[in-house]
Amino acid sequence: MSSFELLSKFLQKKIWDMKWSNFTVIQEKAIPAILQTNNDIVLSAGTASGKTEAAFLPILTGVEDIADQALKVMYISPLKALINNQFERINQLCEYMNIEIHRWHGDVSQSKKQKFIKNPTGILQITPESIESLFINKPGVLPTLFKELEFVVIDEIHSFIDKERGVQLRSLLSRIEEFTKVRPRIIGLSATIGNFKVVKEWINLKHPENVSIIEDKSSDKQLLYSLMYFETEEDNNKPVELFEDMRDLTKEQKSIIFCNSRGSVEETTVFLNRLAKKNGAGETYYPHHSSIDKKEREYVEKIMSETKEPKSVVATSSLELGIDIGNVDLVVQLDSTYTVSSLKQRLGRSGRERDAEQMLQLYGTGKDSLLQSLAVMELVLDKWIEPAEGYAVPYNILFHQVISICAEKNGVTLKKLLELIENNDIFHSLNLSKAELLIHHMIQNDILEKLSGKGEIIVGLEGERILRSKEFYSVFLTNEEYEVVEGTRKIGRIDKTPFIFEGDNVILSGRLWTIIFLDTERNKAYVNKAVNGKPPKYLGDGGKIHKKIGKKMMEILCSDDNFEYCDGKARAALAELRRPYHLYGIDTTDRVMWKEKGNTYFLETFSSTQIATTIFWMLKIAGANPKGKDLLGRIKFEYDGSLTKLYNDLKNFTWDEKDLLEEKKKKEDFHSKYAEFIPQELKDELHIKHELDLKGTIEYLHQYQWKLIGL
DNA sequence: GACCTGCTGCGGGTTG
């Protein structure tokens, strides 16, 4: 039977109506996989390959008889905007069937939510945080709500797996299984995903062999790409020629220009609009990032998806996931992304029309950024992608879920609580005695309260304070911000840093403002229009790069490859970078220590961020004085003794992660929303697992030799 | 050198 014939009569009719002449590859494969097996499934294919329909056509066929009587399908999205985008798409498929589709997220009115709760049927589209809110605020309805649930569709599943948010979501799904007649099947959707082992275990820990991965590699479109170099001037300003080139390139093409920071988005937008104005064009470039007011962002998304003009949006990773902005001809990336998967996701935003090519213009504005751009691009061409790793030792999220469970159950014995933790797939691998330690710590600090009598545990007074805040529903950390307003009009937000003052001029939402009054109590910044300004400073985290990117950079430095897609200036800059490596006959298995002057050295680790961090603190304990470390993993340090001895100490010493951590903690803490509430021992373990890599570092030290070169 | 994501209930005012 063909895939088409497997579908219900109503959906066949709908497909005729929509005048589809054929299914995409992923749809052709997904239909029998969903209808003729009971497996969990990951659908992995490029953007615009019709993954949503690939999942929903067979799912709707499977549930249509009973979907008017109970909730059968839950669609989970990382973004509210994606829920709204997909609502129409799924609703359209349901036209001839009696299946209702309900949206549930923070912007949906209480009355709509009440209506759904009274008669929960069909399909529910929801965010992880809103599922959390169901457990906290409506525990009574959960057993009837989820009883008949058969399918859980997780969109952009890669955006969850390695994150705190993924631990929360997986925990909530395990908790839902308590109420369902059968374990619901999980269908994950993603464009970019690596390391299927971890993905399979995340989806189905008990039977990872029952997770089928369905890939369509042919949906990778033909790619046209080039890399240009514009050296940043001494005053640290980006050269005018860079923006002129960008303007030229985007004059006749609809584009997305990706920048790595919100400040850079603002600066680039203003510059490009100034150049466009000089050409007599109207407003052509629109900024898009998380600190621009939501209404303004939605306006930009609307303009971009409706316009036929060559307009461009300048964005951060805010436009990386599938928000609809119509077809785009060209993707521009200003300086390198931190990950290969991010670049891959971004270039997937062009050539959305079938058979159209993807076009990518990379710009490097400094030698380091050029090297990293090349390394990341080469890894895209090698078809490599960062493997999913999961989120290690999630005691912080366990803390959160223990409060949530106690609130949901309104009191639970210690024995039962430990049982729930052990049977929760995402916490299953944690040592149960550590979980018990955490619970006792929570009782001691009034987060939980142990009732006398049956010994039930409920949420304590301090726990109530955390639980009853609107912040509780999400597990990720956010910065404190000022809301920027002009009179009564919201412009956006700037981070609340000590470096911001009344009288400062800032660029926000592509326009210039003077701050006239800072209300530090209400966190509001009142502004007037200005004629000049600088991009605002936002507080960031600092990125992490995978060791494969470091390794690739070293390979590029040691090779002679001229990379056809580089322009002359990029090649000249690359030649300059390579000169010392060629001069000293350095090989890819070497790692160089450049002697700067006297007792000061530069060690180029060219590996992962975690390995560079580990070596940094090893140097400190071994008696050297490390001064600083950059993102390419160059460590500057002072040392008076013999470097051979230092090297051998690092390599042969029996290192203990705890010693390294004690040194590191004197300077840096572990940042996570609930880290401050968990026992020190558990917090240290989290810190070690996420920021250091001792095993990897020892391997690394045995794999590469240090080469000392005195300049 | 960083980016992104999410949430409720209630009091008070405004609009249909």
Side-chain angles (χ1 to χ4, degrees):
Chain A
M1 224 196 296
S2 73
S3 289
F4 181 76
E5 289 163 340
L6 287 174
L7 298 176
S8 83
K9 291 285 166 292
F10 292 124
L11 286 165
Q12 291 184 0
K13 177 165 162 39
K14 185 71 208 173
I15 288 164
W16 282 111
D17 283 2
M18 293 188 297
K19 299 194 170 65
W20 286 14
S21 55
N22 56 297
F23 287 134
T24 63
V25 176
I26 201 78
Q27 290 164 348
E28 198 67 62
K29 289 182 175 177
I31 293 168
I34 292 177
L35 284 171
Q36 298 181 323
T37 77
N38 274 315
N39 281 359
D40 294 330
I41 288 165
V42 177
L43 300 179
S44 168
T47 359
S49 57
K51 284 191 293 290
T52 307
E53 289 79 6
F56 274 94
L57 287 170
I59 287 176
L60 291 171
T61 295
V63 303
E64 73 175 348
D65 296 340
I66 28 184
D68 58 334
Q69 294 151 43
L71 176 65
K72 302 302 289 182
V73 186
M74 182 160 69
Y75 163 95
I76 299 166
S77 154
L79 302 177
K80 290 184 287 190
L82 220 51
I83 287 181
N84 297 341
N85 279 178
Q86 301 286 42
F87 179 79
E88 289 305 326
R89 243 171 110 179
I90 304 169
N91 206 15
Q92 206 192 8
L93 295 180
C94 296
E95 191 186 340
Y96 298 118
M97 293 177 292
N98 198 11
I99 299 180
E100 284 198 49
I101 167 162
H102 312 267
R103 276 180 275 194
W104 187 305
H105 58 64
D107 299 342
V108 173
S109 69
Q110 280 299 328
S111 60
K112 288 222 173 85
K113 289 174 180 168
Q114 288 300 342
K115 213 179 124 202
F116 169 71
I117 287 291
K118 272 191 195 138
N119 186 24
T121 63
I123 305 166
L124 176 66
Q125 292 183 289
I126 195 165
T127 60
E129 288 74 16
S130 282
I131 302 177
E132 186 76 61
S133 81
L134 283 172
F135 273 89
I136 303 298
N137 300 314
K138 306 204 165 27
V141 309
L142 302 175
T144 35
L145 180 58
F146 290 123
K147 193 172 159 205
E148 301 285 337
L149 186 67
E150 276 184 56
F151 287 98
V152 172
V153 180
I154 306 176
D155 209 349
E156 309 274 9
I157 192 169
H158 66 280
S159 73
F160 290 113
I161 291 185
D162 288 351
K163 312 264 173 57
E164 293 169 322
R165 217 178 165 198
V167 178
Q168 177 190 27
L169 173 59
R170 195 64 195 81
S171 165
L172 292 167
L173 294 179
S174 286
R175 290 167 65 189
I176 283 174
E177 280 176 38
E178 194 185 323
F179 307 115
T180 59
K181 268 202 314 215
V182 293
R183 177 186 175 278
R185 288 170 69 188
I186 294 179
I187 314 291
L189 312 181
S190 182
T192 52
I193 199 154
N195 193 355
F196 290 129
K197 183 174 182 288
V198 169
V199 174
K200 285 179 174 184
E201 284 174 359
W202 189 94
I203 289 176
N204 192 340
L205 182 73
K206 292 182 188 84
H207 296 285
E209 72 281 5
N210 290 351
V211 181
S212 310
I213 308 286
I214 299 183
E215 275 183 282
D216 171 21
K217 288 184 176 153
S218 67
S219 62
D220 283 357
K221 305 216 167 94
Q222 194 181 339
L223 176 64
L224 300 175
Y225 53 100
S226 82
L227 192 160
M228 290 178 82
Y229 185 68
F230 289 90
E231 179 104 39
T232 299
E233 291 158 21
E234 275 180 20
D235 55 6
N236 224 358
N237 282 331
K238 296 207 159 62
V240 180
E241 292 77 23
L242 165 72
F243 296 112
E244 283 173 344
D245 193 82
M246 228 183 251
R247 168 64 190 145
D248 236 31
L249 192 67
T250 54
K251 206 183 272 178
E252 277 154 23
Q253 300 187 90
K254 202 172 142 189
S255 336
I256 310 186
I257 299 165
F258 282 107
C259 302
N260 289 336
S261 72
R262 287 167 281 181
S264 170
V265 163
E266 296 291 351
E267 184 186 23
T268 304
T269 310
V270 167
F271 224 115
L272 289 174
N273 271 329
R274 204 186 289 165
L275 290 173
K277 210 168 160 190
K278 223 168 80 183
N279 297 151
E283 195 172 25
T284 309
Y285 298 91
Y286 301 91
H288 192 284
H289 58 73
S290 68
S291 296
I292 290 173
D293 187 70
K294 198 177 160 207
K295 280 211 178 102
E296 181 78 21
R297 281 173 64 175
E298 285 170 351
Y299 165 77
V300 171
E301 288 160 20
K302 188 159 179 278
I303 287 208
M304 286 302 292
S305 62
E306 287 172 0
T307 187
K308 299 265 184 283
E309 311 270 298
K311 299 201 180 231
S312 299
V313 57
V314 187
T316 58
S317 54
S318 58
L319 281 183
E320 212 171 271
L321 296 183
I323 294 172
D324 183 23
I325 48 158
N327 292 319
V328 167
D329 304 317
L330 169 74
V331 169
V332 175
Q333 174 65 44
L334 178 57
D335 291 324
S336 181
T337 56
Y338 294 81
T339 63
V340 175
S341 81
S342 177
L343 182 59
K344 207 158 180 243
Q345 192 84 21
R346 289 175 187 193
L347 68 89
R349 305 252 23 189
S350 81
R352 288 175 66 94
E353 250 164 76
R354 292 215 175 135
D355 303 324
E357 296 143 329
Q358 294 179 334
M359 293 214 287
L360 172 69
Q361 176 66 56
L362 302 162
Y363 288 106
T365 65
K367 295 218 172 61
D368 288 357
S369 123
L370 171 71
L371 184 58
Q372 197 177 325
S373 295
L374 272 170
V376 170
M377 188 65 213
E378 284 297 301
L379 288 167
V380 167
L381 298 172
D382 291 348
K383 303 216 176 282
W384 181 85
I385 192 159
E386 284 84 4
E389 289 174 347
Y391 188 88
V393 293
Y395 300 119
N396 45 355
I397 312 303
L398 179 61
F399 168 90
H400 177 267
Q401 288 295 290
V402 164
I403 296 180
S404 174
I405 290 168
C406 290
E408 177 213 335
K409 304 279 179 205
N410 197 18
V412 57
T413 62
L414 178 63
K415 185 164 167 273
K416 178 74 184 165
L417 189 52
L418 288 171
E419 212 177 282
L420 288 170
I421 293 168
E422 199 182 9
N423 291 331
N424 189 314
D425 289 354
I426 204 75
F427 300 126
H428 181 78
S429 63
L430 291 179
N431 187 330
L432 215 54
S433 66
K434 302 263 175 82
E436 205 170 341
L437 173 75
L438 174 67
I439 293 165
H440 285 302
H441 185 83
M442 289 170 76
I443 293 171
Q444 262 166 28
N445 291 295
D446 291 335
I447 306 282
L448 301 177
E449 189 182 337
K450 195 167 183 177
L451 298 176
S452 48
K454 278 189 278 177
E456 291 211 320
I457 297 171
I458 59 167
V459 180
L461 281 179
E462 286 306 312
E464 285 287 337
R465 205 193 301 278
I466 298 169
L467 173 65
R468 298 301 158 197
S469 142
K470 70 175 160 81
E471 287 288 314
F472 183 76
Y473 304 97
S474 66
V475 293
F476 48 85
L477 198 60
T478 48
N479 291 328
E480 231 192 327
E481 297 170 313
Y482 288 114
E483 181 167 58
V484 180
V485 291
E486 182 201 23
T488 54
R489 209 182 113 200
K490 292 179 191 168
I491 314 291
R493 288 168 304 279
I494 49 179
D495 276 2
K496 197 171 177 182
T497 73
F499 318 112
I500 201 137
F501 303 102
E502 287 166 7
D504 280 358
N505 283 4
V506 296
I507 316 178
L508 186 60
S509 199
R511 293 185 296 275
L512 307 161
W513 312 98
T514 302
I515 298 174
I516 48 170
F517 176 57
L518 275 181
D519 185 340
T520 50
E521 290 273 298
R522 288 176 190 78
N523 290 341
K524 278 196 170 181
Y526 295 87
V527 298
N528 279 339
K529 288 193 175 66
V531 288
N532 60 56
K534 275 190 266 184
K537 290 246 181 296
Y538 292 97
L539 300 164
D541 253 1
K544 283 193 184 117
I545 63 162
H546 191 274
K547 63 182 172 191
K548 190 103 176 180
I549 295 176
K551 193 171 166 229
K552 193 58 139 185
M553 291 195 277
M554 190 63 179
E555 283 169 22
I556 290 168
L557 287 171
C558 297
S559 86
D560 288 315
D561 194 329
N562 241 329
F563 304 112
E564 275 173 32
Y565 54 93
C566 287
D567 73 338
K569 280 186 287 183
R571 281 187 203 171
L574 183 60
E576 211 180 303
L577 274 170
R578 279 170 169 168
R579 192 172 301 125
Y581 297 84
H582 287 189
L583 200 62
Y584 292 103
I586 291 157
D587 187 77
T588 52
T589 56
D590 298 325
R591 286 296 181 269
V592 185
M593 193 162 354
W594 306 96
K595 181 169 177 153
E596 202 188 34
K597 56 172 192 259
N599 61 352
T600 306
Y601 306 87
F602 270 107
L603 170 62
E604 295 181 333
T605 52
F606 281 124
S607 187
S608 71
T609 306
Q610 281 94 334
I611 287 179
T613 306
T614 307
I615 292 179
F616 185 93
W617 295 108
M618 282 178 163
L619 286 168
K620 177 86 181 167
I621 291 175
N625 182 19
K627 308 286 267 186
K629 171 170 82 73
D630 65 18
L631 198 87
L632 297 199
R634 286 195 206 91
I635 301 172
K636 182 180 182 176
F637 68 95
E638 296 168 349
Y639 189 63
D640 291 320
S642 139
L643 286 170
T644 320
K645 182 182 174 299
L646 182 65
Y647 177 58
N648 287 329
D649 279 354
L650 257 57
K651 211 161 114 177
N652 301 323
F653 195 80
T654 313
W655 290 100
D656 186 342
E657 289 161 325
K658 293 199 178 92
D659 299 331
L660 293 164
L661 185 69
E662 285 313 311
E663 277 303 323
K664 182 176 186 294
K665 272 179 7 191
K666 289 178 192 165
K667 260 189 80 180
E668 316 160 331
D669 209 354
F670 182 70
H671 293 289
S672 172
K673 195 162 172 182
Y674 297 107
E676 60 173 305
F677 297 107
I678 67 177
Q680 191 64 47
E681 180 191 332
L682 303 186
K683 187 176 164 189
D684 285 353
E685 205 180 324
L686 255 170
H687 195 162
I688 287 171
K689 279 280 179 342
H690 289 266
E691 306 279 322
L692 298 173
D693 177 8
L694 182 55
K695 192 167 158 269
T697 303
I698 301 292
E699 274 171 28
Y700 168 88
L701 288 170
H702 283 86
Q703 194 176 356
Y704 301 100
Q705 306 100 62
W706 288 7
K707 207 158 184 174
L708 175 67
I709 295 175
L711 291 174

